[in-house]
Amino acid sequence: MAFNAQVVGVFCVSVVIMALKPLLLHLSGDAQHGRSSEVALPPAYFQLAVESLKAIVCIAALLMRYCAGLPAPVWVDVRHTATFAVPAAVYLLMNVLTVSAARMLQPPTLQLLAS
């Protein structure tokens, strides 16, 4: 079985990001618990910033595909999009709750519980 270098690269970046997630969540909440003079973002705003960053990365990937002459479909139809509305809302709520809970735990504890 041959591995594509791009797939391996994306996998490695994903692993690093997932490994850093507990630490980043913990550090983003330090101000909330008086461990920093900075003002912490509320969990909903933190999640909005994360989702915005994901959208920016997706737009960049689509632009790169478009510039390379590859198909870059963005929209199928309303019915297709509507089927993802409820799962997307549940996922967003779950992530906001995860951020709230993660800020209460130390990174190693979160890593053990989240695995």
Side-chain angles (χ1 to χ4, degrees):
M1 177 180 357
F3 288 105
N4 184 342
Q6 182 181 7
V7 172
V8 172
V10 168
F11 176 76
C12 291
V13 169
S14 299
V15 168
V16 169
I17 289 171
M18 291 305 292
L20 290 176
K21 181 180 177 182
L23 181 62
L24 294 174
L25 286 172
H26 181 72
L27 292 175
S28 70
D30 277 351
Q32 188 176 3
H33 300 292
R35 293 185 291 258
S36 171
S37 62
E38 300 293 322
V39 177
L41 278 175
Y45 291 152
F46 178 83
Q47 194 59 41
L48 181 62
V50 169
E51 297 302 326
S52 298
L53 181 61
K54 287 180 188 177
I56 290 168
V57 169
C58 289
I59 290 169
L62 286 169
L63 285 173
M64 288 181 356
R65 287 184 60 88
Y66 180 77
C67 291
L70 298 170
V74 176
W75 178 262
V76 176
D77 62 13
V78 173
R79 187 175 182 184
H80 180 263
T81 302
T83 60
F84 292 98
V86 172
V90 170
Y91 179 74
L92 178 63
L93 178 62
M94 181 184 71
N95 282 339
V96 170
L97 294 174
T98 300
V99 170
S100 299
R103 287 182 173 178
M104 297 177 201
L105 300 172
Q106 294 295 322
T109 306
L110 176 63
Q111 189 72 5
L112 286 173
L113 294 176
S115 298

